[in-house]
Amino acid sequence: DAKTTQPTSMDCAEGRAANLPCNHPTISGNEYVYWYRQIHSQGPQYIIHGLKNNETNEMASLIITEDRKSSTLILPHATLRDTAVYYCIVSSMEYGNKLVFGAGTILRVKS
Amino acid sequence: EAQVTQNPRYLITVTGKKLTVTCSQNMNHEYMSWYRQDPGLGLRQIYYSMNVEVTDKGDVPEGYKVSRKEKRNFPLILESPSPNQTSLYFCASRLAGAPNEQFFGPGTRLTVL
């Protein structure tokens, strides 16, 4: 079972920041938070991951609360091409760990 | 270019006719896996492989076989396909251990009549 809960869907205006929340109240100390997205039946695409510090890369920022029980993915300037299903996944460092995908959040970016 | 490739991308077949979906990666990744994606059920892992000659069942292995004779290839075999295996299939690979980005192939849409 997925260890995360996400809103079913969200809308965002083009050019604005998209903030996608995720709750993971039972996350363990050795588990990372990963974000992937899937654009219309294409293969899922890695976005970012983090353990406890906030992370930023060229695609997005990841904000993890101090108690690590929730996080927010931020797309700073959403474009129409960011319309996708966004998956928040919690996974451990153990060798062979797998990614368990939940239902994700459908993000619709509108012009 | 680092990538995971799958072939074929689309396949329509009939019940009972053996088929193989190939998967290849050019990143020297140890870990490879197969997922299927169905409406309302999300992505579910079928099989995974930690390295050459090491494979193990995922969450929905029934009706599937895999092999890992070479590090770069991880074919998915359906010995006797049935209509309930109609699905969208994804192969993925990554370096062993965590945290690591997992790369997915473009998908194979299989229809079993």
Side-chain angles (χ1 to χ4, degrees), chain A residues 9-25:
Chain A
S9 64
M10 296 180 64
D11 291 339
C12 177
E14 189 178 20
R16 305 296 294 267
N19 295 278
L20 292 93
C22 179
N23 291 321
H24 27 83

Side-chain angles (χ1 to χ4, degrees), chain B residues 68-97:
Chain B
R68 188 90 182 274
K69 294 186 172 62
E70 305 164 283
K71 199 171 187 179
R72 64 184 298 132
N73 296 324
F74 190 46
L76 180 69
I77 303 155
L78 285 72
E79 295 268 3
S80 183
S82 63
N84 65 11
Q85 293 177 298
T86 292
S87 187
L88 179 58
Y89 292 86
F90 292 103
C91 181
S93 75
R94 62 171 172 79
L95 292 169

Side-chain angles (χ1 to χ4, degrees), chain B residues 34-55:
Chain B
W34 276 101
Y35 289 82
R36 62 177 288 175
Q37 187 170 31
D38 303 288
L41 297 175
L43 280 146
R44 296 176 292 168
Q45 192 183 58
I46 304 170
Y47 267 94
Y48 66 95
S49 169
M50 301 294 292
N51 214 323
V52 176
E53 302 292 0
V54 181
T55 63

Side-chain angles (χ1 to χ4, degrees), chain A:
Chain A
D1 290 332
K3 301 178 183 179
T4 63
T5 56
Q6 300 176 249
T8 301
S9 64
M10 296 180 64
D11 291 339
C12 177
E14 189 178 20
R16 305 296 294 267
N19 295 278
L20 292 93
C22 179
N23 291 321
H24 27 83
T26 61
I27 190 170
S28 301
N30 66 347
E31 289 181 319
Y32 284 74
V33 179
Y34 294 82
W35 283 85
Y36 282 74
R37 74 180 183 184
Q38 186 175 24
I39 298 172
H40 188 54
S41 297
Q42 296 179 19
Q45 176 191 22
Y46 166 86
I47 302 173
I48 199 167
H49 73 271
L51 184 62
K52 49 185 173 182
N53 297 324
N54 298 338
E55 303 287 345
T56 295
N57 63 20
E58 64 279 1
M59 286 182 70
S61 294
L62 174 60
I63 308 298
I64 302 174
T65 58
E66 194 168 337
D67 64 5
R68 303 212 317 126
K69 294 183 178 182
S70 65
S71 61
T72 301
L73 178 74
I74 301 171
L75 307 178
H77 305 287
T79 70
L80 298 178
R81 280 186 269 187
D82 292 321
T83 293
V85 179
Y86 287 78
Y87 299 99
C88 170
I89 300 166
V90 163
S91 187
S92 76
M93 296 171 58
E94 294 172 3
Y95 191 70
N97 64 300
K98 68 179 177 183
L99 298 177
V100 178
F101 288 79
T105 296
I106 300 170
L107 175 68
R108 300 185 189 90
V109 180
K110 300 183 176 182
S111 58

